[in-house]
Amino acid sequence: MEKLTLAQADAIIEGTFAKGAEMGFRPLTVAVLDDGGLMGAFKKQDNSSVLRFDIAQGKAYGAIGMGTPSRNLENVAKERPYFMNALIGASDGKVVPVKGGLLIKSSDGQIMGSIGVSGDNSDNDEIAGIAGIEGAGLTTD
């Protein structure tokens, strides 16, 4: 099983920032977690607000913890709010069920980790994260 390296995590973050700059997004914060949900790399752009770290980490944690992008968790929150409240409680409040959390996969589809992006609207956070993952030669859902 291929493991996510620090060099890959750094490349993902830099690619995410590059896409944000290209698209004129607000300052971004990016958390990359390994396949066990531990922080692999973190970086925030200047003027990204203080709570963005917790939001980015929560998006990534939800994705890796449930094995699905946080976009899907957002839908679950709308369709089954009691389940989502239970999931947030079971994770000690670590899950943030909004777009911007993505699985990082190897070329053969194995989950290597996850990314959480926060700073702009959630759709834009997701766009930047996808670009970062793909720019590093990896895939996502």
Side-chain angles (χ1 to χ4, degrees), residues 2-70:
E2 189 176 351
K3 293 290 186 179
L4 187 67
T5 67
L6 180 58
Q8 288 170 315
D10 286 339
I12 291 167
I13 291 171
E14 293 308 316
T16 300
F17 287 164
K19 185 64 170 183
E22 172 192 323
M23 303 284 294
F25 295 166
R26 291 184 294 239
L28 299 175
T29 296
V30 181
V32 177
L33 307 183
D34 68 15
D35 61 353
L38 298 175
M39 185 66 65
F42 163 77
K43 198 169 187 181
K44 73 178 217 51
Q45 292 180 308
D46 293 341
N47 300 315
S48 183
S49 60
V50 68
L51 282 176
R52 296 295 179 180
F53 168 79
D54 296 309
I55 296 167
Q57 185 177 19
K59 290 178 180 185
Y61 192 76
I64 197 69
M66 293 302 291
T68 190
S70 61

